[in-house]
Amino acid sequence: MIKVYGVPGWGSAISEVMLTLADIPYQFINVDGFDSPGPQRVLLEKLNPLCQVPTLEMENGAVMSETAAIGLMILDRCPDLAPPVGHPDRAQFQRLLVWLVANVYPTFTYADYPERWAPDAPEQLRENCLAYRQSLYLWLDNHLKAAPWAFGEQLTLIDVYIAVMRTWGPRHEWFAANTPHITAIADSVCQLPELHKVLKANEII
């Protein structure tokens, strides 16, 4: 069984929800506190020297990290969670899968720990990252169908990203006021009964 090292509500939530949606069994190992010196960091560092969540230990003992890579691994086992090869939406799915981790994720890396990167002006870095993140979400909202999913009638892994990330900054109220497509997609994901347990465990619903 796959072991998912993570923290409830953090980035590992995306992997948990994706695995649940794909009906792939996994064991969740809570490493809360890994971002400070201590036993949880030591545990995680043995698998992933970068000490990032999610980190997955696969059935064969291999280590998998990076949420987009985990998504691609899941698609190998459950290809129905992406537009099929040859479909007009396939390229846009691939684009957004990488776009989210390449563009939105770094705003959390720097805004959550600004003192690491700009010790002389941490609050300015944080404010700049938050403003840039909002502009990215506005761009994303304009590239989603939300009828009811990001790509129309087909539920994909992009919808999982959207549902989880809505719970992070700038939070539900901002999304509701500024991004109707993101809001509608996240609401639809949260209504899927098969995801209720994992969504509750990660305080998404």
Side-chain angles (χ1 to χ4, degrees):
M1 181 181 293
I2 294 173
K3 295 179 180 178
V4 177
Y5 293 80
V7 178
W10 287 49
S12 53
I14 293 176
S15 292
E16 280 199 86
V17 180
M18 289 194 299
L19 288 164
T20 303
L21 190 62
D23 198 23
I24 299 173
Y26 69 91
Q27 175 189 0
F28 179 73
I29 299 171
N30 191 340
V31 290
D32 190 14
F34 76 93
D35 53 341
S36 299
Q40 299 293 60
R41 186 172 184 86
V42 172
L43 174 64
L44 184 60
E45 197 169 25
K46 290 178 181 178
L47 291 171
N48 184 352
L50 294 178
C51 280
Q52 296 173 337
V53 295
T55 294
L56 274 58
E57 186 176 1
M58 305 301 291
E59 297 95 334
N60 63 0
V63 173
M64 170 69 75
S65 64
E66 312 305 327
T67 310
I70 293 167
L72 293 175
M73 177 273 292
I74 289 171
L75 288 177
D76 285 343
R77 305 188 187 194
C78 189
D80 290 345
L81 292 176
V85 175
H87 191 282
D89 287 333
R90 179 76 175 193
Q92 182 69 344
F93 171 88
Q94 294 168 327
R95 177 191 184 189
L96 292 183
L97 183 66
V98 175
W99 181 90
L100 284 164
V101 297
N103 291 279
V104 180
Y105 270 32
T107 69
F108 291 98
T109 299
Y110 300 120
D112 288 353
Y113 306 97
E115 67 282 355
R116 294 182 183 176
W117 318 104
D120 296 329
E123 283 307 308
Q124 186 61 59
L125 176 59
R126 182 176 182 277
E127 290 177 8
N128 291 348
C129 286
L130 294 179
Y132 182 54
R133 187 189 306 158
Q134 290 178 353
S135 73
L136 293 173
Y137 281 135
L138 292 173
W139 179 91
L140 176 63
D141 200 66
N142 288 325
H143 290 76
L144 302 172
K145 293 180 181 179
W149 310 112
F151 294 97
E153 294 298 321
Q154 183 182 8
L155 174 65
T156 73
L157 296 183
I158 296 298
D159 301 299
V160 171
Y161 271 86
I162 290 169
V164 176
M165 295 175 79
R166 181 182 61 162
T167 66
W168 304 339
R171 306 290 183 181
H172 282 232
E173 293 77 10
W174 184 89
F175 285 110
N178 295 279
T179 56
H181 290 157
I182 288 175
T183 298
I185 290 166
D187 285 346
S188 294
V189 171
C190 290
Q191 292 170 9
L192 294 172
E194 64 267 34
L195 298 181
H196 281 183
K197 182 177 179 180
V198 67
L199 293 175
K200 287 180 179 177
N202 284 280
E203 300 181 347
I204 295 168
I205 59 174

